[in-house]
Amino acid sequence: MSRHRSDDRPAPVVVRAEVDHGSAELISDPDRPHAWTLLLDGTAQSHVDLDDPEHLEFEYVRRMAHVVDLLGEPSRPLRVLHLGGGAWTLARYVAATRPGSVQTVVELDVALAELVAHRLPGPGPEDGLDIVTGDARATVSALPSGAFDLVVTDVFAGARTPAQVTTAEFLAQVVRVLTPGGTHIANLGDGAPWPFLPGQIATAGAAFPRLLLVVAPDVLHGRRFGNLVLVGRPAGAGRDGNDEVVPALTRRTAGDPFPARVLDDDATRSLAGDAAVVTDRTSTPSPRPPAGFWGQ
């Protein structure tokens, strides 16, 4: 969410550091005394408010959090695997809203994980949060079956999702580590003419009984590039045989500063068209966004 800075506010503080896979910047938020935005090679990755972990500045993170809020009873602890660390924004949110949750954050960049832990301290092992440094796909493959209620895939190399976490083989491992009623949330970046999204929907649709998609209307209608939140869900329905998640999520996203559309299973699958399931042999990274799209 972009905002205009008034003249009487201090200029942002910028902390720069070289990490294992590029250059990191932490930029202070003039509107929130202990909030920071993390950029990697000029691409905004995370925003965190150390005083208020329930404040979610990035709209796509807010949309993922809405999905998390609707998983079971509101305060029930969850077992969550976050693939892609950044500044641990969603993990901090889960720790704050669902105390007692057991979470694992997987971050490839060791130096970045150390920078975040030092400059943006947050929940630790005593709060149920474990930071693991390693490759996302290799880490998932080594984890025990049925260990998580939720897996969140938010892996980016620069501004693109790496090919190895876009495939049927990868999602087979995700399904394996989920409980039978588990949920998968993926943050995707794409825009018309949709070189990436249809294949991801086809692939997720082969792995999960039920899908939904959360997306800004102007992105959905092809007017700009943007984030799309693709959710793979179990087959079970809500009370009285009705799926209650889609209308509940629709109400929540409609009340956001930048409202989003929620597409149910049929509408989501229709966007796949005749796209084939993506495999390790056919996979490619997500498209490169327009210059400066995720910059600050």
Side-chain angles (χ1 to χ4, degrees), residues 68 90 142 229 291 296:
V68 175
L90 191 61
V229 174
Q296 294 295 304

PDB file of all heavy atoms in Angstrom, residues 68 90 142 229 291 296:
ATOM      1  N   VAL A  68      -5.394 -17.652   6.507  1.00  0.00           N
ATOM      2  CA  VAL A  68      -4.956 -18.262   7.761  1.00  0.00           C
ATOM      3  C   VAL A  68      -6.018 -18.100   8.840  1.00  0.00           C
ATOM      4  O   VAL A  68      -6.312 -19.036   9.593  1.00  0.00           O
ATOM      5  CB  VAL A  68      -3.621 -17.643   8.227  1.00  0.00           C
ATOM      6  CG1 VAL A  68      -3.226 -18.182   9.594  1.00  0.00           C
ATOM      7  CG2 VAL A  68      -2.516 -17.931   7.214  1.00  0.00           C
ATOM      8  N   LEU A  90       4.499 -13.093   7.872  1.00  0.00           N
ATOM      9  CA  LEU A  90       3.320 -13.911   8.145  1.00  0.00           C
ATOM     10  C   LEU A  90       3.547 -14.789   9.377  1.00  0.00           C
ATOM     11  O   LEU A  90       2.612 -15.032  10.152  1.00  0.00           O
ATOM     12  CB  LEU A  90       2.968 -14.762   6.929  1.00  0.00           C
ATOM     13  CG  LEU A  90       1.610 -15.461   6.979  1.00  0.00           C
ATOM     14  CD1 LEU A  90       0.471 -14.452   7.069  1.00  0.00           C
ATOM     15  CD2 LEU A  90       1.412 -16.359   5.759  1.00  0.00           C
ATOM     16  N   ALA A 142      12.828 -33.438   2.944  1.00  0.00           N
ATOM     17  CA  ALA A 142      13.434 -34.097   4.106  1.00  0.00           C
ATOM     18  C   ALA A 142      12.538 -34.083   5.337  1.00  0.00           C
ATOM     19  O   ALA A 142      12.883 -34.699   6.357  1.00  0.00           O
ATOM     20  CB  ALA A 142      14.768 -33.422   4.431  1.00  0.00           C
ATOM     21  N   VAL A 229      -2.864 -14.836  -4.972  1.00  0.00           N
ATOM     22  CA  VAL A 229      -2.759 -15.814  -3.894  1.00  0.00           C
ATOM     23  C   VAL A 229      -3.586 -17.038  -4.288  1.00  0.00           C
ATOM     24  O   VAL A 229      -4.821 -16.968  -4.364  1.00  0.00           O
ATOM     25  CB  VAL A 229      -3.248 -15.224  -2.569  1.00  0.00           C
ATOM     26  CG1 VAL A 229      -3.271 -16.289  -1.480  1.00  0.00           C
ATOM     27  CG2 VAL A 229      -2.348 -14.055  -2.154  1.00  0.00           C
ATOM     28  N   ALA A 291       9.772  -3.250 -14.721  1.00  0.00           N
ATOM     29  CA  ALA A 291      10.840  -2.596 -13.971  1.00  0.00           C
ATOM     30  C   ALA A 291      10.266  -1.718 -12.864  1.00  0.00           C
ATOM     31  O   ALA A 291       9.353  -0.929 -13.097  1.00  0.00           O
ATOM     32  CB  ALA A 291      11.691  -1.754 -14.917  1.00  0.00           C
ATOM     33  N   GLN A 296      10.626   0.318  -4.136  1.00  0.00           N
ATOM     34  CA  GLN A 296      10.017   1.327  -3.259  1.00  0.00           C
ATOM     35  C   GLN A 296      10.375   2.718  -3.780  1.00  0.00           C
ATOM     36  O   GLN A 296      11.483   2.929  -4.259  1.00  0.00           O
ATOM     37  CB  GLN A 296      10.538   1.150  -1.832  1.00  0.00           C
ATOM     38  CG  GLN A 296      10.088  -0.172  -1.225  1.00  0.00           C
ATOM     39  CD  GLN A 296       8.582  -0.255  -1.041  1.00  0.00           C
ATOM     40  OE1 GLN A 296       8.004   0.598  -0.396  1.00  0.00           O
ATOM     41  NE2 GLN A 296       7.970  -1.261  -1.605  1.00  0.00           N
TER      42      GLN A 296
END
